[in-house]
Amino acid sequence: DAIAGCICNIGYEGVDGLACSACTVGTYKDVNGSGTCSDCEAGRYLNVTAGAVRVTCPGETASRVGSDSITDCICNVGNKGPDGAACSGCLMGLFKGVNIRKPGTFCIQ
């Protein structure tokens, strides 16, 4: 059999010696060999297929498990800024008490 000695590459899942499939966006496999793709960890994203290297969200942001875009990185509680960009803390006396994805979510009194 032509693929009997083959192993799945990094970024591909399956069983060695059989056909392998590319990991979908938001998932990764960072070792060669048999195995399955895993969801990106919270706070990281991966926006390519067959990927292995996850990208860390910008400063003071977080993302859910399995994120596939930088815009999934949203400001942490107590910070403000646009989705996918580094966020900054609210000014003294103001707060943002939710980690929410919504345009125009500002710090309030």
Side-chain angles (χ1 to χ4, degrees):
D1 189 58
I3 63 171
C6 295
I7 63 171
C8 293
N9 288 330
I10 290 172
Y12 290 81
E13 65 181 353
V15 178
D16 291 345
L18 300 175
C20 303
S21 301
C23 296
T24 58
V25 293
T27 67
Y28 72 97
K29 185 170 149 274
D30 57 5
V31 295
N32 287 315
S34 293
T36 58
C37 301
S38 301
D39 287 334
C40 286
E41 306 90 342
R44 293 180 163 190
Y45 68 94
L46 184 60
N47 60 354
V48 297
T49 58
V53 180
R54 285 90 63 209
V55 181
T56 301
C57 286
E60 299 302 328
T61 67
S63 66
R64 293 185 175 157
V65 170
S67 293
D68 61 9
S69 172
I70 191 169
T71 57
D72 292 335
C73 301
I74 57 176
C75 293
N76 293 328
V77 171
N79 291 274
K80 61 182 175 38
D83 293 344
C87 297
S88 59
C90 295
L91 296 174
M92 185 176 284
L94 302 177
F95 74 97
K96 184 178 142 236
V98 292
N99 188 354
I100 190 169
R101 177 179 205 155
K102 181 179 174 188
T105 303
F106 302 105
C107 301
I108 58 173
Q109 290 185 341

